[in-house]
Amino acid sequence: MTTILVTGALGQIGSELVPALRQHYGADKVIATDLKVLPPSGAVAIAPYDHLDCTDPHQLHEAVRRYDVGAIYHLAALLSAAAEAAPQLAWSVNMSGLYNVLEVARGYDCQVFFPSSIGAFGPDTPRDLTPQVAIQRPTTIYGVTKVAGELLCDYYALRFGIDTRGLRLPGLVSYVAAPGGGTTDYAVEMFYHAIRYGRYTCFLSADTRLDMMYMPDAISGMINLMAADATRLRYRNAYNITAMSVTPAEIAAAIREHIPGFEIDYDVDPVRQAIADSWPRSLDDSAAHADWDWAPRFDLAAMTQDMLARLTEKLKPAPRRQRL
Ligand code: NAD
Ligand code: AKB
């Protein structure tokens, strides 16, 4: 097994993908990298760790050469709401970053994982059971970079034979690291607020239906897709995957099964609501089932139970030190 490099490793996904990859392939085989400069103690805690700005091709080349990298999980990006607040930066990070990764992969023959998104679809796409191959005319800069990124992955696979693999991920729910500026962040926030305050004000309307997934399913999806038999893969841009299609009101009801007094109200943010309204309500992920045996484990009830149990433990106040 050659070395794996993860860009954007300190974000919501990387914080769980890196430990999972290390468990699979060995701790010294997975190099975590991010734009963030960690204090020495932080860098030691997640070593091997390197500072790496994916918009700088020289840093990428140097890291891939130095660590003899054979596979890159390219997570660094701005998410939908953060990207809409800074479209020029989003283009630079999301597009130059991916282009640099693909170019270095071409030079060193690396396998590449690219996380696309439900955001790669737009208002012209059929919104229910969105097919694997459907019209993609997103109206957000995030979506534009995801469609262009999918096409670029396809092109590098066809033109240069690079082993690119990708997933159109839905909103991810997790308890390890906070989400980084997306439209689906409300789902994670709702769990934190339910435990801390017993109430939550949601920035999307009660009936906004979107695909969601619990992080353990997303992580196993990424690792399984990268390990899948290449001859079975019909798509090199990105596969639709999903685990549930839910609204804020439905997540709140699931939380109420465990915290009966939980209350939710709504103060809609027009920017994020417009983004959500342009995305599919549910994806058809049958191609992923057929081509590489995609099978999520967590539905809404199972995710809610696990998420509340883990978060309750995480948010428990530290025990007070006993006086001697
Ligand atoms: P995140 O915002 O939590 O983390 C992104 C990380 O990238 C951050 O740690 C940030 O410091 C780093 N970064 C930013 N600019 C960088 C640069 N120039 N060079 C190197 N690192 C840089 O994002 P995430 O939720 O972990 O998402 C990772 C990927 O998955 C993104 O491409 C995102 O679009 C995609 N995705 C995420 C979700 C989700 O719900 N989290 C859903 C669909 C797709
Ligand atoms: C976002 O909301 O931007 C992400 C995504 C679905 O791509 N969570």
Side-chain angles (χ1 to χ4, degrees):
M1 177 68 205
T2 52
T3 309
I4 296 169
L5 184 100
V6 182
T7 71
L10 298 181
Q12 188 192 4
I13 296 179
S15 299
E16 298 192 47
L17 178 64
V18 168
L21 287 171
R22 285 180 176 163
Q23 203 169 11
H24 263 73
Y25 298 112
D28 57 333
K29 292 289 180 200
V30 182
I31 316 297
T33 70
D34 200 285
L35 185 63
K36 290 175 190 153
V37 179
L38 291 179
S41 58
V44 165
I46 60 155
Y49 176 81
D50 228 340
H51 170 262
L52 193 156
D53 179 352
C54 68
T55 63
D56 181 344
H58 304 294
Q59 285 187 30
L60 257 172
H61 279 267
E62 184 46 29
V64 167
R65 190 196 59 74
R66 185 168 357 119
Y67 296 113
D68 190 21
V69 169
I72 304 173
Y73 285 73
H74 177 50
L75 304 182
L78 264 64
L79 273 72
S80 57
E84 222 44 57
Q88 294 78 8
L89 179 65
W91 179 263
S92 163
V93 175
N94 296 13
M95 288 317 305
S96 307
L98 176 62
Y99 174 75
N100 292 338
V101 164
L102 289 168
E103 271 298 287
V104 83
R106 187 168 71 84
Y108 292 86
D109 194 21
C110 303
Q111 194 189 25
V112 174
F113 174 78
F114 169 65
S116 186
S117 161
I118 52 173
F121 295 110
D124 301 329
T125 307
R127 294 192 67 202
D128 297 304
L129 283 179
T130 303
Q132 171 65 33
V133 181
I135 186 164
Q136 289 180 268
R137 295 199 62 193
T139 46
T140 62
I141 187 67
Y142 180 65
V144 170
T145 65
K146 289 302 182 189
V147 177
E150 287 189 18
L151 293 174
L152 209 51
C153 287
D154 240 354
Y155 179 76
Y156 271 72
L158 281 168
R159 177 76 170 78
F160 303 118
I162 303 302
D163 186 1
T164 59
R165 304 178 181 207
L167 295 176
R168 292 190 187 120
L169 294 167
L172 299 181
V173 175
S174 67
Y175 58 87
V176 174
T183 303
T184 58
D185 294 9
Y186 85 82
V188 179
E189 286 177 11
M190 199 188 300
F191 284 96
Y192 276 84
H193 285 232
I195 291 169
R196 280 189 171 135
Y197 316 116
R199 57 168 301 108
Y200 177 61
T201 300
C202 185
F203 58 76
L204 294 186
S205 66
D207 59 350
T208 305
R209 182 169 296 284
L210 292 169
D211 279 315
M212 294 279 171
M213 185 179 294
Y214 198 31
M215 189 63 88
D217 279 333
I219 298 297
S220 58
M222 292 176 219
I223 294 175
N224 291 344
L225 174 64
M226 287 291 268
D229 175 356
T231 61
R232 288 179 65 193
L233 301 181
R234 283 173 292 165
Y235 302 100
R236 291 315 188 122
N237 53 335
Y239 279 88
N240 282 2
I241 58 167
T242 184
M244 63 195 88
S245 162
V246 289
T247 65
E250 287 168 356
I251 301 178
I255 291 175
R256 236 175 260 121
E257 296 280 320
H258 302 266
I259 306 175
F262 175 60
E263 286 175 19
I264 184 163
D265 61 3
Y266 299 89
D267 181 11
V268 169
D269 166 18
V271 174
R272 286 179 286 188
Q273 186 67 51
I275 295 174
D277 288 342
S278 75
W279 289 354
R281 285 186 284 257
S282 65
L283 295 188
D284 170 359
D285 59 0
S286 50
H289 286 278
D291 289 9
W292 50 278
D293 308 316
W294 159 245
R297 288 189 303 125
F298 290 88
D299 61 10
L300 177 58
M303 174 181 83
T304 303
Q305 186 176 32
D306 199 64
M307 186 71 186
L308 287 174
R310 306 247 183 198
L311 256 190
T312 304
E313 188 58 31
K314 177 178 172 177
L315 300 178
K316 232 176 22 200
R320 290 168 66 130
R321 284 232 187 105
Q322 268 190 337
R323 289 231 177 119
L324 292 176

